[in-house]
Amino acid sequence: MYKLHPIKQKNLREGKRAELKIHSLLEKYFGKIKNNNDKNIFSHIDFKNEKYAVEYKRRYIDYGQYDTLFFEYVKVKEAHKLMKENPKLRVFFIWECNNGVYYWELNEKEYFMRLNGRTDRGKDERRQLVNIKLKYINNINNLTLENKPTVITTL
C-alpha cells in the first residue's frame, strides 16, 4: 500500500482544518452548504448545495505574489459534470491567501492551462493546471450573487 509523504499528510491535515474554519464564512455568502469531504477526503469540489458548488484552496502566499492562482483541471471536469446534472448550478473557486479570501466564478473564457505544481512532497507534482489571471479574481467581500449563470462554452 502506498504511504503518503509526510508533507502531503501534513498538508491534508491543514486543509481539513482550513475547511472547517472557512465553512461559516462560505455559508454567509452561499447559504447552508455541505462539505463533500466529510464523505470523501479527495472530493474534487469541496462544498455544495442545490444552487452553488464551491472549491476551496488555502494558499500560504499573499494574493498578488504571483500573476495567477491555479488548481487541477479535474475540478473543472467535476464542475461540468455537476452542471450537467443541475444546469442552474453556479460554480465558484475560493482561495484563502495570507492577506484575504478571494473568489472566481467558473468562466471558460477566463482561464488557461500552464505547467505549475510542486516537488517538495517526495515526487514531481508539476502538471498542466488551470490558471486564472488575478484581474478575474475578486475579494470575497465584493461577492454578490445576483441571478447570473456560470459561463460555459461546452459540457
Side-chain angles (χ1 to χ4, degrees), residues 13-114:
R13 284 190 307 273
E14 289 170 347
K16 183 67 176 165
R17 278 194 300 271
E19 286 171 9
L20 291 170
K21 184 177 154 212
I22 199 76
H23 198 152
S24 62
L25 177 70
L26 296 179
E27 287 190 333
K28 174 181 169 187
Y29 292 96
F30 301 106
K32 183 108 174 104
I33 197 161
K34 181 182 176 208
N35 187 336
N36 295 322
N37 292 313
D38 290 343
K39 286 188 177 179
N40 177 3
I41 192 168
F42 297 110
S43 178
H44 296 305
I45 299 291
D46 295 323
F47 299 92
K48 187 174 169 291
N49 63 23
E50 54 285 337
K51 291 183 179 181
Y52 307 106
V54 178
E55 171 61 12
Y56 165 76
K57 292 291 179 195
R58 174 63 174 103
R59 298 290 189 231
Y60 293 94
I61 60 168
D62 286 342
Y63 177 81
Q65 187 172 336
Y66 298 100
D67 63 335
T68 66
L69 292 175
F70 58 84
F71 55 86
E72 293 182 15
Y73 182 72
V74 69
K75 296 173 183 310
V76 171
K77 289 187 344 189
E78 180 69 12
H80 286 171
K81 179 181 155 232
L82 294 172
M83 292 166 69
K84 198 171 193 175
E85 294 168 4
N86 177 1
K88 293 183 180 185
L89 188 72
R90 292 174 64 187
V91 179
F92 290 84
F93 294 83
I94 306 290
W95 294 269
E96 181 180 1
C97 297
N98 294 337
N99 56 348
V101 178
Y102 300 87
Y103 78 94
W104 173 69
E105 185 170 1
L106 179 61
N107 182 328
E108 299 291 329
K109 298 175 183 176
E110 294 179 350
Y111 74 80
F112 64 95
M113 302 301 288
R114 181 166 73 187

Side-chain angles (χ1 to χ4, degrees), residues 142-155:
N142 300 324
L143 177 59
T144 57
L145 294 172
E146 62 276 344
N147 254 347
K148 64 175 189 164
T150 293
V151 177
I152 57 170
T153 53
T154 59
L155 283 182

